Amino acid sequence: MSAQKKKKALDPAQRRAEMEGARLFGKHVSRTKGRLLLAVTLACCALPVLLGLRLWGEIPEIVETGLIGMDGRDDSLPRPAVVFALPGLMCLLDLLAHYQLLVSQKRMTVPKAHVRLVGRWGFPIISVLFCGGMMLQSAGRAWDLSFVAPCALGLLLLLLGSHMWDCPRDARVSLGFALTGRPGADWDGVHRLTGGVWLAAGLLAIAGTMAGVSWVAAACGALALIVPGFVVWRQG
């Protein structure tokens, strides 16, 4: 039975319950935020290509994956597939996840369990940590804290920036504590600017790590603290 027919088959009470569940679990966002997050997550999925290009000469032409195929042999991948195809696959899967969430939002239905699990950030996280880690290991380098920590910082900034961009006034995580006692403060403006800065800082922190510029992540972390503080101070 199609989704449209299923909706017609439900009585009004069931349909209202389904719509309420969709609002709670559907990961609904505005059209503007949906487009913003699609652009940001696609860029994030593609960033490991920078690492692959930097390590191109160190990555062997044939990379052993450690996975055994049906013929009993290792499913090895050529270097271009590791550097370009794997992040490209993450971009494609990310696009499909966003599309499925959009369709569910338009129909006011709860997305399938695997779509809810992956959400909008599952494939960017996989691309940055695991595709990037595979490139490092194939080049004979360590997948260690010096790589994971700045990438994790960048991903955290992206997640927080996504939340802050349209943060509701009753949210548990917000800048509300800093705006208390400032009756003229622009809640939406402060949080939207903070969210935008954190999204940009997160992408730059990951890009700097992939490009081998270690100080960029630290600078982005400092920027993420300074800018919101300055903006809140100006609200006084």
Side-chain angles (χ1 to χ4, degrees):
M1 181 181 293
S2 67
Q4 294 294 335
K5 291 181 179 179
K6 182 180 178 182
K7 285 197 294 184
K8 292 179 180 179
L10 294 176
D11 62 47
Q14 288 177 311
R15 180 58 185 153
R16 284 195 296 271
E18 183 184 46
M19 293 175 66
E20 185 60 29
R23 292 189 184 95
L24 291 173
F25 306 110
K27 301 180 181 293
H28 289 184
V29 297
S30 66
R31 179 178 298 182
T32 301
K33 183 176 180 179
R35 291 173 177 173
L36 173 66
L37 292 184
L38 176 60
V40 169
T41 55
L42 286 175
C44 188
C45 286
L47 284 177
V49 172
L50 294 176
L51 177 63
L53 293 175
R54 179 165 67 89
L55 302 178
W56 184 268
E58 301 176 37
I59 298 176
E61 292 186 6
I62 301 297
V63 177
E64 294 184 358
T65 64
L67 301 175
I68 305 301
M70 297 295 292
D71 56 359
R73 298 181 180 179
D74 182 89
D75 278 343
S76 300
L77 294 174
R79 178 168 53 192
V82 173
V83 174
F84 298 108
L86 289 182
L89 176 62
M90 294 299 107
C91 289
L92 177 60
L93 294 174
D94 180 63
L95 182 62
L96 291 174
H98 279 254
Y99 174 74
Q100 289 179 315
L101 288 170
L102 175 62
V103 170
S104 295
Q105 180 170 331
K106 286 184 174 180
R107 294 177 176 173
M108 287 303 293
T109 57
V110 179
K112 295 180 180 179
H114 66 276
V115 178
R116 297 200 308 273
L117 177 64
V118 172
R120 292 181 173 85
W121 294 103
F123 292 114
I125 292 172
I126 293 172
S127 186
V128 168
L129 295 179
F130 293 99
C131 291
M134 183 176 182
M135 294 177 195
L136 281 174
Q137 292 181 337
S138 64
R141 300 199 180 195
W143 190 74
D144 56 12
L145 196 61
S146 63
F147 173 79
V148 174
C151 286
L153 172 63
L155 291 168
L156 178 61
L157 287 173
L158 290 175
L159 291 171
L160 287 174
S162 170
H163 168 74
M164 286 292 181
W165 198 79
D166 57 354
C167 179
R169 293 178 182 268
D170 60 350
R172 293 184 179 180
V173 179
S174 71
L175 298 176
F177 69 93
L179 297 175
T180 301
R182 301 171 186 260
D186 182 3
W187 175 283
D188 293 335
V190 168
H191 284 84
R192 181 159 296 192
L193 178 59
T194 300
V197 169
W198 286 2
L199 286 170
L203 285 178
L204 286 174
I206 297 170
T209 304
M210 297 297 176
V213 187
S214 57
W215 58 267
V216 171
C220 289
L223 183 69
L225 293 175
I226 293 172
V227 171
F230 177 76
V231 174
V232 170
W233 174 74
R234 288 291 300 272
Q235 295 290 316

